[in-house]
């Protein structure tokens, strides 16, 4: 696994994995074709290209995965991206367990969502349709770069690339300025994180002179780093992650990002992009294991985010907003896991979450589709009769996220809770509470949407219909995955060696062994499951047939998301704008330019005064001459002596 | 105190007094007359300094030709006390102070020069005689002499240009 | 007579001339004052020439012509003065023709 | 020597031609021909052929420096005549006499450039001044002209008085008028008489070159004099007096630098300041040029200040750059009806060629590279820096140069960028071509000054 | 040979252009000649890249110790390439414009090119100063002849500003000349000057001010927005795309190698000023409504970053500057083309009056977005490489506050994203209004120019190594100089 020198050593050319560049290349091609030919191509052609390229790379990813499973991990080096002085940054891909797993998730879920989109976006004009698919492909491309990059810089390229795509896709319907605002907000908040990421990279370069994983994560290099450096670097990287993965304090962009088309929300803002932060930290777990302080920070931030988002989700009425906040909350769980050193658990949850959250989003998409663009759940209800498949799949999704065995969510969330318990029972308690809230608001959503009687307008009711197969099939597939997805990580307590995922990832992820008695483990599982079921029943009793009611008191605070956006606006945005106005109107014009022009004005004034000396009278001229003569004589004879 | 010294003091006082009168008398004609007196006293000094030739020339050229010219002009314009323009009082004072301070400064500066004890006034020596001067003028100083003719020419042409009626 | 006296005398005349220039407005008078200044210079030159002559004599050079140049310079000054006077008076007369005044401050178009 | 005598003769010839010939063209042609002859003869003397060999008893020495400068002066005068001789007709009836006086002035210039005795300097300056009084007043019916000539005369005579007093004191101290023997003093410090005389000479010379605080006559006289003659006296004459200035202070007072350097520095600063600052607010281009000539004098004074080889070369180059540019501008200005800045509005539309050349001249005056003006200023700064620890002076000069850009570019702006109807003026083809030649020369010397300076050495 | 040709070609063709009456003809002439120059510079880049072609020397003013010597190192080659690329782009983009008396316009443009080229090539201080001014004069005439309504005053201010600066530089040059062992202006003898850092301070500041005005660096920038706003856009492109680099190049060739000690000593101060300027300009850009002014202020911010990069005085930072000089030139020309098109078609530059161009002019919007994103240094665009290296250099530099400097500079990057996206949003997105409803998409020549620019952006963004290799020689030598000084001081 040593980085090749120059990239064309024989053993590397022999290595089949050298061909992985095809995986990102195909979506890139799709992007170019669809992007440039969006006027010429017809919709079917566009969707064919969009999905086809992705299908192929999905197939390739499976092949790669099998290769890796067969123990063939490889760093494919292509060319020197930047090489200055001692610093050399190659353009290289790293194919190992972690990346191959993510490859599967991205291409797989991505493919499904492409298929889904091809019918969901039917109403768009061809060129916008093409634009949509080109963006989507571009996103897949950058996401693949992100996970395949063999060093932090290539990773960063993808990192910013996905940010760009999310910007483009949130603002896809660019006629609506508030959508564009949301897009800009997403991009800028990501930028803040990215800056921290960059500084971390620079710090690494300054200390180690290299950024490639293979070299950074070697014992010799890590030994060079002082604890302080490691803490700073890891913290900075984590700040980067908070931007991308919507953690406190940079999470507010994600709910707004729901402005984009629903499949986009499913793909980017639920399944893949937002998990980039987790991937990055998991990727550099060796570094993090050396920075306990950072780990604590991560754990607390993650937990706080999980709780905060969950509380907010309780009172949201926009179906997508609820899902968005639940995403934030779930991401919080993942970070909690990371903070507790349970990297595998985090990755596991990323996977399962990708399944059920994508499922939920697509389901909501199907609902919105059916409701003719209506997103407010207060105007829904009783949809279960009309949208059977959607309802069932949605239900599965909810069960999965709520964490009821044997659905996938249960295993991953359980692993996380366990790790939290091991770190600190208090953490566990809070996390459990958040999990319960999750169950509650998810089922609130489910019941208000599907049960009870319809609360929308009549023509909406008349218009209600089940979505076409192109949309339902992905739902079904994802539903199946949401059910069985958890079986790759069955805890030891049930089956010895059930934790396939853990084994698979063990080469890249080193976790300290933890030991809790089986009884405790059983007890915890039972507790959580029981409470969750109780919560579901409570929600059922409360929202079986929903009555519209104004939120009051605390509920209002929650409905307004703890006024965090308002706070940011007042604390940061407004001052910056004020400063800009001040500099623009006062400082630049009056002060600096004032000085410059003042010199000119002074010149004029001096000139006007000075020419009065030229009185035009010979007498005064001579007088002045004589006086100056006297002065000079005095200087010469009486002063200079 | 020899006779020459007495003469020196006398002439000096006359010169300075008449010079002061030149600048102070209201009537231009009077100033001219006072100025002529000044020139005469200066010529007296020349004689004391055995510069006989210059003394004569001074009287002929200055007191004679030039001052008469002035007198003619003044008469021609019949300037007199009434037509005489007066400077503003303060300006006059300022001028007087300026000139006076210049004198003061110069005198103060030059009162102890390294040559202050050298004698100027002795009755010997004939360099001032026309013979010597002429010899010098037409041998060593012939070139400047010719050049001065150019000066006169230009002055003449100038007078023509300015004076000729159109 | 020490040379200092001559220096002071001519300086005095010279400065009187300057004062005249400064205090009068009649162009002709001003011009006359300038002539006075020139004469002061002449006097000084003659005195100096005499002084240098003496110095040379005392140095023991019996047939010296030291100091001649000074007197010749005076001669040239007179030449120049004459020329100047002719031109100057011409100018003054010309002005008088135009404005019927010899006041130097009367014409004051050119200023600032 | 050739030039000295020939110029005198030519003066006389023209004086009579005024009586004998009636048509002005003939007179003009004689003058120009004479000018060419003068130039040729002078160049021949540079090459070593001397026609008249008069023993000047060491009062006049035609060394390389003097000859080179006189050549420059004659060349500029030739160009000046070619451009502006025609315009003298407008001034008054005494057409021939004007040429006569100009030739006499050239005679004086030759003296001033090559004197070795204070007497010659004095005569030279007087031969320059007296005709100038006349030329200034030559527009007899014009009161401005009268006023100018009266002021010029009174102040000039006054400064002559100062100069004579200075010479007298120096004579008292040294007993000689010969510059070389003035410059030697055995006793450590120069005597008070000498210093006083030197300072008086400094004043009078500063007056003649219109350096502050003895510059007051300049704006009024340049403004009031007929523009044709302003052009002449502002350029060639001023340059000549400067040559006399630097010669005097190099040869006679070279060893007294401690006594005068400070005052020259003060004069430089004052001149630059007053000239540039006052020019900013002027409304008439002619008067602006008068002030600018003061400012340029300030720069030339830096040569006197520095007093080294660079300074001398630079002064020669400056004489060329400044004279050529100013002559060109004045030649155009004479043609204008309206001397105010607004008079130039839209000038470029009607007269693209004149505008272009004028622009080049203005750029040269402003000291923009590629023009002779830049290199001459450059030499000055270089010389001043080489003269010792005086960065402050150089910086000040540079800032003032920046100020000068302000008023020079006002003209360019008016000509090119302002809308206006400058009345179309008709100019002869020869005039245009002479102007172009002048502009080309300005640029050529700006790129390769050695064309001139290489003649300074064998 | 090559170097001489690079100067002579535009100069002579410019002269010739004065005599071409027909507008169409002179336009073609200008384009063709600029292309020829481009070919020459490419020749110098690839096949004739040997000192005997790249260097030229002949006698000029032996008495002054000045000679007409041209030297073409990596940096010079890069910038000459930029210069030669910029001109055809400008001419193509302005193909459908008409100027009153066009011949003067194009002639002056070509003169300016010659002047700029000379600045990049001159290996003699006096010659350098000559060209420095020569580049300025045509610009002055271009701006005040063909500019906007406030052009005269604004351009004059610009002229005075830069003129004062360059005069100060002249003093500095003269001072250094006095210190040269053999009194000569040639760059080698300038490199042989040895002064203590303290003695160097004055000439350093004198010279730096000149360069700072040109760049421009806060607080000497106030000429820039007005000038960019008033000048004819073709000229603005050259001003901001190429001329600005003269200042930076001055640092590279005339300040750092000659006055190394002071450059090191004052590095912190200058960096701080530049960073303040970056944030300052970004904040102002955030509040601009006028497109041109916005671009102008963003340019100030970017140039500030470049200056910071130079003063990191290590390989990474300076290499970053090298590539970023090129990138900034390309990108900002692209931005100007877009802005110019918008102004010409809508008659306004006010973002508040624009909007919805994405519907009317998708192609334009596409280019606009790509270039704008390049402007905020998105990965795989050229600017990313440059800014990455600069920031890396900054954090790795030896100033004791490097962390804070990096963070502060980073803030301006975020702000940069903010105002750029704001610009895109207000101009391209949203509903159309009566002004933008009738806009047509960009014309063919515009597409061509922008297309070339986008290709360059991506090419340099994906595979920047060639450029870095080109300039590595220059930066390495500079780094060595600084290392020596640093060791001397730290001892």
């Amino acid at each position: 696994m040593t980085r090749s020198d120059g990239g064309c050593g024989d053993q590397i050319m022999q290595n089949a994995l050298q061909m992985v560049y095809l995986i990102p290349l195909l979506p890139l091609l799709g992007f170019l074709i669809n992007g440039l030919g969006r006027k010429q191509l017809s919709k079917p052609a566009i969707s064919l290209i969009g999905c086809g390229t992705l299908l192929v790379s999905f197939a390739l990813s499976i092949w790669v995965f099998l290769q890796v499973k067969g123990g063939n991990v490889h760093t494919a080096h292509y060319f020197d991206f930047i090489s200055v002085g001692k610093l050399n940054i190659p353009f290289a891909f790293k194919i190992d367990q972690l990346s191959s797993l993510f490859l599967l998730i991205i291409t797989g879920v991505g493919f499904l969502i492409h298929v889904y989109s091809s019918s969901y976006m039917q109403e768009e004009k061809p060129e916008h349709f093409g634009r949509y698919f080109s963006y989507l492909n571009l996103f897949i491309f950058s996401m693949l770069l992100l996970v395949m990059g063999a060093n932090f810089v290539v990773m960063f390229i993808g990192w910013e690339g996905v940010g760009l795509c999310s910007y483009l896709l949130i603002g896809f319907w660019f006629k609506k300025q508030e959508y564009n605002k949301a897009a800009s907000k997403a991009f800028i908040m990501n930028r803040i994180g990215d800056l921290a990421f960059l500084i971390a990279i620079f710090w690494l370069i300054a200390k180690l002179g290299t950024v490639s994983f293979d070299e950074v994560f070697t014992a010799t290099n890590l030994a060079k780093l002082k604890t302080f450096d490691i803490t700073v670097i890891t913290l900075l990287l984590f700040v980067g992650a908070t931007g991308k993965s919507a953690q406190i304090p940079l999470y507010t962009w994600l709910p707004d990002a729901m402005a984009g088309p629903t499949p986009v929300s499913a793909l980017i803002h639920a399944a893949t992009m937002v998990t980039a932060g987790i991937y990055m930290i998991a990727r550099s777990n060796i570094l993090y294991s050396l920075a306990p302080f950072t780990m604590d920070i991560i754990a607390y931030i993650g937990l706080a985010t999980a709780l905060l988002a969950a509380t907010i989700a309780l009172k949201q009425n926009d179906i997508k907003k609820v899902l968005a906040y639940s995403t934030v909350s779930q991401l919080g769980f993942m970070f909690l896991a990371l903070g507790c050193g349970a990297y595998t658990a985090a990755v596991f949850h990323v996977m399962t979450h990708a399944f059920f959250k994508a499922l939920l989003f697509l389901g909501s998409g199907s609902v919105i589709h059916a409701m003719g663009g209506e997103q407010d759940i207060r105007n829904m209800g009783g949809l279960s009769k009309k949208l059977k498949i959607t309802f069932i799949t949605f239900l599965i999704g909810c069960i999965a996220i709520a964490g009821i065995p044997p659905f996938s969510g249960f295993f991953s969330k359980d692993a996380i809770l366990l790790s939290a318990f091991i770190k600190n029972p208090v953490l566990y308690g809070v996390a459990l509470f958040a999990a319960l809230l999750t169950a509650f608001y998810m089922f609130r959503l489910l019941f208000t949407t599907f049960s009870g009687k319809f609360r929308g307008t009549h023509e909406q009711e008349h218009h209600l219909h089940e979505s076409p197969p192109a949309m339902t099939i992905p739902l079904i597939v994802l539903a199946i995955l949401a059910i069985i997805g958890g079986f790759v990580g069955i805890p030891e307590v049930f089956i010895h060696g059930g934790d396939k995922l853990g084994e698979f990832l063990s080469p890249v992820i080193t976790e300290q062994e933890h030991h809790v008695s089986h009884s405790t483990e059983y007890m915890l599982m039972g507790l959580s499951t029981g409470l969750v079921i109780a919560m579901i029943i409570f929600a059922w009793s409360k929202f079986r047939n929903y009555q519209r009611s104004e939120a009051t008191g605390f509920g209002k605070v929650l409905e307004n998301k703890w006024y965090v956006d308002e706070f940011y606006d007042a604390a940061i945005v407004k001052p910056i704008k004020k400063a800009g106005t001040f500099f623009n109107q006062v400082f630049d014009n009056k002060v600096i330019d004032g000085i410059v022009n003042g010199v000119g004005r002074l010149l004029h004034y001096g000139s006007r005064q000075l020419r009065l000396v030229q009185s035009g009278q010979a007498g005064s001229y001579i007088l002045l001459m004589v006086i100056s003569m006297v002065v000079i004589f005095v200087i010469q004879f009486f002063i200079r002596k | 105190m020899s006779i020459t010294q007495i003469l020196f003091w006398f002439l000096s006082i006359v010169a300075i007094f008449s010079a002061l009168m030149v600048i102070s008398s209201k009537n231009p004609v009077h100033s001219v007359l006072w100025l002529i007196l000044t020139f005469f006293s200066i010529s007296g000094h020349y004689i004391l300094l055995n510069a006989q030739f210059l003394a004569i020339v001074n009287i002929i050229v200055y007191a004679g030709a030039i001052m008469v010219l002035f007198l003619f002009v003044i008469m021609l314009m019949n300037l007199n006390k009434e037509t005489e323009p007066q400077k503003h009082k303060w300006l006059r004072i300022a001028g007087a102070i300026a000139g006076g301070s210049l004198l003061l400064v110069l005198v103060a500066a030059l009162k102890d020069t390294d040559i202050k004890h050298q004698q100027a006034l002795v009755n010997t020596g004939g360099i001032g005689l026309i013979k010597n001067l002429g010899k010098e003028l037409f041998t060593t100083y012939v070139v400047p002499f010719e050049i001065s003719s150019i000066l006169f020419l230009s002055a003449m042409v100038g007078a023509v240009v300015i004076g000729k009626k159109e | 007579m020490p040379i200092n006296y001559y220096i002071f005398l001519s300086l005095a005349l010279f400065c009187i001339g300057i004062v005249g220039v400064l205090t009068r407005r009649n162009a002709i008078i001003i011009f006359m004052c300038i002539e006075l200044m020139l004469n002061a210079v002449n006097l000084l030159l003659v005195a100096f020439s005499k002084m240098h002559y003496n110095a040379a004599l005392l140095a023991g050079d019996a047939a010296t012509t030291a100091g001649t140049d000074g007197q010749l310079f005076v001669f040239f000054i007179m030449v120049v003065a004459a020329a100047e006077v002719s031109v100057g008076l011409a100018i003054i007369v010309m002005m008088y023709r135009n404005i019927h005044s010899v006041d130097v401050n009367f014409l004051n178009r050119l200023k600032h | 020597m050739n030039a000295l005598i020939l110029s005198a003769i030519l003066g006389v010839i023209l004086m009579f031609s005024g009586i004998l010939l009636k048509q002005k063209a003939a007179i003009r042609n004689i003058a120009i021909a004479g000018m060419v002859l003068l130039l040729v003869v002078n160049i021949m003397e540079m090459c070593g052929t001397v026609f008249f060999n008069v023993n000047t008893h060491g009062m006049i020495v035609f060394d390389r420096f003097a000859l080179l400068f006189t050549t420059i002066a004659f060349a500029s005068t030739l160009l000046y005549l070619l451009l502006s001789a025609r315009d003298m007709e407008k001034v008054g009836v005494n057409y021939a006499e004007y040429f006569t006086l100009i030739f006499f002035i050239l005679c004086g210039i030759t003296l001033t450039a090559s004197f070795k005795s204070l007497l010659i300097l004095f005569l030279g300056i007087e031969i320059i001044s007296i005709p100038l009084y006349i030329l200034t007043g030559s527009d007899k019916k014009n009161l401005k002209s009268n006023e100018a000539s009266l002021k010029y005369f009174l102040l000039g005579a006054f400064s002559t008085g100062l100069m004579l007093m200075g010479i007298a004191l120096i004579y008292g101290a040294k007993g000689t008028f010969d510059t070389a023997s003035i410059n030697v003093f055995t006793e450590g410090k120069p005597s008070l008489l000498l210093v006083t005389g030197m300072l008086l000479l400094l004043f009078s010379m500063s007056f003649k070159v219109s350096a502050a605080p003895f510059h007051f006559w300049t704006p009024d006289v340049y403004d009031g004099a007929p523009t044709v003659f302003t052009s002449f006296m502002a350029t060639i004459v001023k340059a000549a007096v400067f040559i006399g200035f630097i010669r005097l202070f190099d040869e006679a007072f070279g060893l007294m630098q401690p006594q005068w350097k400070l005052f020259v520095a003060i004069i430089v600063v004052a001149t630059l300041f007053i000239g540039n600052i006052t020019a900013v607010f002027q409304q008439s281009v002619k008067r602006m040029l008068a002030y600018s000539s003061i400012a340029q004098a300030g720069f030339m004074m830096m040569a006197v200040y520095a007093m080294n080889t660079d300074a001398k070369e630079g002064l020669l180059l400056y004489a060329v750059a400044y004279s050529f540019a100013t002559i060109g501008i004045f030649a155009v200005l004479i043609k204008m009806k309206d001397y105010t800045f607004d008079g130039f509005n839209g000038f470029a539309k009607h007269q693209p060629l004149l505008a272009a050349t004028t622009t080049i001249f203005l750029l040269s005056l402003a000291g923009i590279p590629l023009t002779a003006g830049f290199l001459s200023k450059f030499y000055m700064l270089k010389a001043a820096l080489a003269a010792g620890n005086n960065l402050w002076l150089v910086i000040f000069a540079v800032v003032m140069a920046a100020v000068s850009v302000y008023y020079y570019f006002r003209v360019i702006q008016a000509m090119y960028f302002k809308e206006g109807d400058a009345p179309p003026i008709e100019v002869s083809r020869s005039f245009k071509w002479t102007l172009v030649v002048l502009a080309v020369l300005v640029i050529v010397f700006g790129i390769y000054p050695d064309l001139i300076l290489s003649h300074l050495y064998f | 040979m090559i170097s001489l040709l690079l100067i002579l070609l535009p100069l002579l063709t410019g002269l010739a252009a004065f005599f071409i009456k027909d507008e169409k003809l002179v336009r073609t002439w200008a384009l063709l000649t600029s292309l020829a120059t481009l070919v020459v510079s490419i020749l110098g880049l690839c096949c004739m890249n040997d000192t005997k072609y790249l260097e030229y020397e002949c006698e000029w003013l032996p008495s002054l110790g000045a000679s007409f010597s041209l030297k073409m190192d990596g940096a010079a080659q890069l910038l000459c390439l930029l210069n030669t690329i910029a001109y055809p782009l400008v001419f193509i983009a302005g193909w459908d414009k008409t100027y009153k008396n066009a011949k003067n316009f194009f002639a002056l443009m070509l003169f300016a090119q010659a002047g700029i080229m000379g600045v990049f090539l001159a290996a003699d201080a006096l010659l350098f100063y000559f060209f420095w001014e020569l580049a300025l004069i045509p610009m002055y005439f271009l701006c005040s002849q063909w500019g906007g309504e406030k052009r005269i005053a604004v351009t004059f201010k610009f002229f005075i500003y830069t003129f004062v600066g360059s005069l100060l530089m002249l003093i500095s040059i003269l001072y250094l000349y006095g210190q040269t062992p053999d009194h000569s202006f040639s760059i080698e003898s300038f490199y042989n000057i040895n002064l203590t850092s303290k003695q160097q301070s004055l000439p350093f500041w004198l010279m730096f001010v000149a360069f700072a005005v040109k760049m421009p660096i806060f607080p000497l920038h106030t000429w820039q927005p007005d000038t960019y706003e008033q000048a004819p856009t073709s000229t603005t492109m050259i001003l901001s795309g190429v001329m600005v680099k003269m200042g930076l190049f001055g640092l590279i060739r005339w300040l750092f190698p000659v006055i190394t000690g002071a450059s090191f000593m004052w590095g912190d101060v200058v960096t701080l000023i530049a960073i303040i300027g970056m944030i300052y300009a970004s904040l102002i850009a955030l509040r601009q409504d006028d497109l041109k002014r916005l671009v102008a202020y963003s340019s100030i911010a970017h140039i500030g970053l470049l200056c910071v990069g130079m003063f990191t005085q290590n390989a990474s930072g300076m290499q970053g500057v090298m590539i970023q000089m090129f990138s900034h030139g390309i990108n900002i020309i692209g931005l100007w083309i877009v802005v110019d098109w918008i102004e010409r078609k809508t008659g306004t530059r006010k973002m508040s009056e624009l909007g919805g161009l994405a519907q009317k002019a998708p192609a334009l919007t596409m280019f606009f977005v790509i270039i704008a994103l390049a402007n905020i240094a998105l990965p795989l665009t050229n600017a990313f490489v440059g800014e990455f290296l600069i920031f890396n250099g900054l954090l790795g530099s030896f100033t004791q506050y490097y962390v804070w400097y990096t963070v502060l500079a980073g803030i301006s990057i975020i702000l940069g994203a903010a105002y750029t996206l704001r610009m895109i949003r207000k101009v391209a997105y949203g509903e159309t209004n009566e002004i933008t409803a009738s806009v047509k998409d960009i014309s063919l020549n515009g597409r061509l120019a922008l297309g070339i620019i986008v290709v360059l952006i991506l090419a340099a963004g994906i595979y920047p190594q060639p450029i870095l290799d080109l300039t590595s020689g220059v930066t390495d030598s500079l780094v060595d100089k600084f290392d020596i000084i640093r060791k001397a001081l730290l001892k």
Side-chain angles (χ1 to χ4, degrees), chain D residues 194-221:
Chain D
L194 188 53
V195 173
T196 319
M198 182 269 294
L199 284 177
L200 282 165
L201 272 173
L202 176 64
F203 301 150
S204 55
M205 290 310 274
S206 314
F207 175 91
K208 296 290 178 194
V209 299
S210 69
F214 306 96
H215 65 286
F216 295 102
W217 60 278
T218 318
D220 297 0
V221 172

Side-chain angles (χ1 to χ4, degrees), chain B residues 31-50:
Chain B
S31 332
V32 176
L33 298 176
W34 282 116
L35 189 59
I36 293 175
L37 182 54
T38 322
F39 290 163
F40 270 102
S41 55
I42 290 178
S43 303
H45 274 297
Y46 290 164
I47 295 173
L48 281 185
L49 291 163
N50 323 53

Side-chain angles (χ1 to χ4, degrees), chain A residues 397-567:
Chain A
C398 289
I399 298 170
I401 195 174
I404 294 176
F407 287 64
S408 59
F410 166 74
F411 296 102
S412 50
K413 186 172 286 181
D414 176 64
I416 292 171
L417 290 175
L418 182 62
S419 62
F421 182 79
I422 292 156
K423 189 175 176 69
N424 176 350
V426 178
L427 286 180
Y428 171 81
V430 183
L432 183 59
F433 178 59
L436 299 182
L437 288 179
T438 313
F440 179 74
Y441 64 69
M442 282 315 296
F443 278 87
R444 162 176 178 267
L445 177 64
L446 182 77
F447 293 134
T448 26
T449 314
F450 288 95
S451 66
K453 59 185 186 314
F454 187 72
R455 297 183 293 275
T457 63
H458 282 295
E459 49 89 20
Q460 275 177 331
E461 186 162 18
H462 165 71
H463 170 271
L464 278 176
H465 61 42
E466 180 54 277
S467 307
M471 287 165 71
T472 47
I473 291 166
L475 287 176
I476 295 160
V477 176
L478 283 168
I480 296 162
L481 285 170
I483 297 167
I484 63 166
F487 298 143
V488 297
I490 302 165
E492 296 289 317
V493 288
F494 295 143
I495 309 159
H496 182 63
D499 187 357
K500 295 272 177 300
L501 188 68
E503 293 169 15
F504 178 67
L505 292 177
S506 50
V508 276
I509 291 177
T510 54
E511 293 184 6
Q512 65 275 42
E513 280 307 315
H514 55 71
H515 34 71
V516 282
S517 67
H518 286 190
S519 54
T520 343
E521 217 169 331
Y522 281 123
M523 194 266 287
L524 296 177
M525 290 182 194
L527 180 62
S528 61
T529 319
L531 288 173
V532 162
I533 291 168
M535 267 299 163
I536 292 169
I537 294 162
F538 176 48
W540 180 73
S541 62
K542 209 164 178 320
F543 299 103
R544 190 171 60 259
N545 31 29
Y546 169 86
Q547 263 69 31
R548 183 178 305 248
S549 67
E550 269 313 305
T552 52
F554 189 59
K556 192 123 187 77
V557 178
L558 294 183
E559 197 168 355
N560 291 310
K561 314 161 191 124
W562 299 93
Y563 297 102
V564 173
D565 281 319
E566 289 73 3
F567 169 73

Side-chain angles (χ1 to χ4, degrees), chain A residues 47 72 117 133 178 255 271 324 337 420 427 484 524 562 568 576 594 606 615 619:
Chain A
S47 38
N72 177 3
S117 312
F133 269 95
E178 63 270 22
L427 286 180
I484 63 166
L524 296 177
W562 299 93
Y568 282 175
I576 284 179
S615 62

Side-chain angles (χ1 to χ4, degrees), chain D residues 318-396:
Chain D
Y318 213 114
V320 179
Y322 171 66
S323 308
F324 282 16
T326 316
I327 287 172
I329 295 174
F330 269 111
V332 176
L333 187 66
I334 295 163
K335 308 281 182 190
M336 303 291 291
K337 309 279 172 297
D338 175 5
Y339 283 174
T340 63
F341 281 91
D342 300 338
F344 279 85
N345 287 359
F347 188 64
K349 270 185 210 54
H350 309 96
Q351 303 286 352
L353 186 70
L354 296 196
T357 46
T358 314
T359 310
I360 291 174
F361 298 140
L362 285 166
L363 290 180
S364 175
L365 285 181
I368 306 293
L370 263 203
T371 61
F374 166 71
L375 269 185
S376 46
K377 279 193 170 58
F378 177 80
Y379 265 94
M380 288 304 161
L381 299 176
K382 184 162 167 287
L385 269 179
N389 163 30
N390 43 42
L391 211 54
W392 58 273
L393 181 64
V394 176
I395 291 177
F396 183 81

